[in-house]
Amino acid sequence: MRVTFLGTGAAGGVPLYGCTCAACQLAHQDPLHIRRPCSALVETAGTRVLIDAGLMDLHDRFPPGSLDAVVLTHYHPDHVQGLFHLRWGKGKPITVYGPPDSEGCADLFKHPGLLKFETVHKHEPFRIGPLRWTPLPLIHSKPTLGYAIEGPEHSRWAYLTDTHGLPPSTAEFLKGWGPFQLAIDCSYPPKDLPKNHNDWHAAIACGEQTGAQTTWLTHLSHAVDDWLLSERPDLPEGVQFARDGLCIDLTAHPR
Amino acid sequence: MRVTFLGTGAAGGVPLYGCTCAACQLAHQDPLHIRRPCSALVETAGTRVLIDAGLMDLHDRFPPGSLDAVVLTHYHPDHVQGLFHLRWGKGKPITVYGPPDSEGCADLFKHPGLLKFETVHKHEPFRIGPLRWTPLPLIHSKPTLGYAIEGPEHSRWAYLTDTHGLPPSTAEFLKGWGPFQLAIDCSYPPKDLPKNHNDWHAAIACGEQTGAQTTWLTHLSHAVDDWLLSERPDLPEGVQFARDGLCIDLTAHPR
């Protein structure tokens, strides 16, 4: 199983429109520091699944037939906005798995076009090709699911955005799941009262709480990047920053 | 007053994702035939206003401070989706004028960010710099307004998307308005029962009914372009096709 971070940005991304902080200036100068809408691609030899659809050029990135499914964490615009254009296309339907949410986003459910929305439920696993997905509840301002994904050769990956902390059942599941790597929401630098999203401390705590082998911080705002540039904090062992385009071969990380 | 068609496509645009019709193939081969989300830029010496915000790269096209306002015809995603990302930016608020619509689109009203939404009403003119905008009711599946725009030196431009036909009050207003050019929804080739959008005949009828000097067909689907390629119909006098990037200097067209 191979995972690619296609986007690692919080809503608004990096650079943030109109912002002149050091992190946004750096991203304007060097595309390596850009953070696009938070999303990832999960691939095995024969299967390709997109987690979240906030990239606005999905129709250019993924020619017809190149995606086996889309899996959504939730229906906030920065996680689904790439579907608005794509849906009007022609061809084989694309299944889009997502949490129970009667509202969805704008008129996606009313006019799904070539998308076929399927609701998945917490702790009820489903399969896409050789991948087994277990939806895990998260704590956010809209119904949101993270996913524990098991691929060939016991490769395991958990993707938990957007969330502030973890419900006990999610932490319990992951503790007993076996060795895995984790992508976790880290939207804020250290903050007094984080809401709807993890700050730096809460993100690291999620990694510790679940016993992840490696914790990848993602869904990062320009404020996190700016704080990192000025504070240069030590990263706890096993914690790393995701960046757009970073590709992780999980079968190359044996337990 | 100068008007630039930034996008001239119906929902889904041209090429349509996954479509292999002659028009979509042509657009894949030659970017001149691409039709992006329907929108236009209205400019005078000191004022720049965007009509509709469906382009998904607005944050790249319009650096902070480069737009005086956005004017929306309605809140369907293909007319507002570029605002989802832009809104999280920093800096001077951007006023977004639009029709009365309690729903808006997704959570734009709930989380406007740097956007400042202002509701405008049919037949109640408002000003943006030297431009006088008269909202005109249209006939669509969501509350929708067209705009009659008067600029310096009696330059006049009417922008009517999305609509199927025109309410009598809109046609009456335009007939008595004085010489003007018209951009009109032409989403379908000739069709038995067009709905929510003009077909070819209805679009041309709108031009005739209002007495426009020049009628520019816009909001064109791949089906219109494909029909044009195969049928090559004669264009009635005074009717022209808009294309992405086409720029019209209205002060260069004296009455």
Side-chain angles (χ1 to χ4, degrees), chain B residues 108-174:
Chain B
L108 280 177
F109 291 166
K110 188 176 172 192
H111 300 297
L114 57 61
L115 308 177
K116 199 178 141 217
F117 288 96
E118 298 263 359
T119 301
V120 295
H121 299 275
K122 60 182 179 183
H123 300 295
E124 293 182 13
F126 60 100
R127 297 193 76 91
I128 305 172
L131 299 168
R132 186 175 193 264
W133 299 65
T134 303
L136 300 173
L138 297 178
I139 302 169
H140 194 49
S141 53
K142 205 164 165 65
T144 303
L145 293 171
Y147 296 94
I149 308 150
E150 190 167 353
E153 298 173 42
H154 303 288
S155 52
R156 289 195 182 96
W157 174 261
Y159 189 88
L160 308 183
T161 74
D162 296 1
T163 196
H164 175 215
L166 298 177
S169 72
T170 294
E172 282 304 312
F173 175 91
L174 291 171

Side-chain angles (χ1 to χ4, degrees), chain B residues 23-127:
Chain B
C24 289
Q25 285 186 42
L26 188 59
H28 277 295
Q29 288 154 16
D30 181 352
L32 276 177
H33 296 273
I34 289 175
R35 296 193 188 277
R36 294 176 183 81
C38 198
S39 52
L41 194 64
V42 181
E43 295 171 287
T44 65
T47 304
R48 181 184 282 148
V49 181
L50 176 65
I51 306 181
D52 281 343
L55 291 169
M56 286 174 278
D57 57 355
L58 290 183
H59 52 288
D60 284 330
R61 285 182 186 239
F62 297 105
S66 64
L67 278 179
D68 293 281
V70 178
V71 178
L72 300 178
T73 59
H74 64 300
Y75 285 91
H76 274 149
D78 56 318
H79 293 255
V80 304
Q81 60 204 1
L83 299 177
F84 288 126
H85 190 75
L86 189 74
R87 65 177 157 164
W88 300 116
K90 284 187 168 181
K92 205 181 138 201
I94 300 171
T95 303
V96 180
Y97 300 92
D101 184 340
S102 58
E103 283 183 3
C105 186
D107 59 0
L108 280 177
F109 291 166
K110 188 176 172 192
H111 300 297
L114 57 61
L115 308 177
K116 199 178 141 217
F117 288 96
E118 298 263 359
T119 301
V120 295
H121 299 275
K122 60 182 179 183
H123 300 295
E124 293 182 13
F126 60 100
R127 297 193 76 91

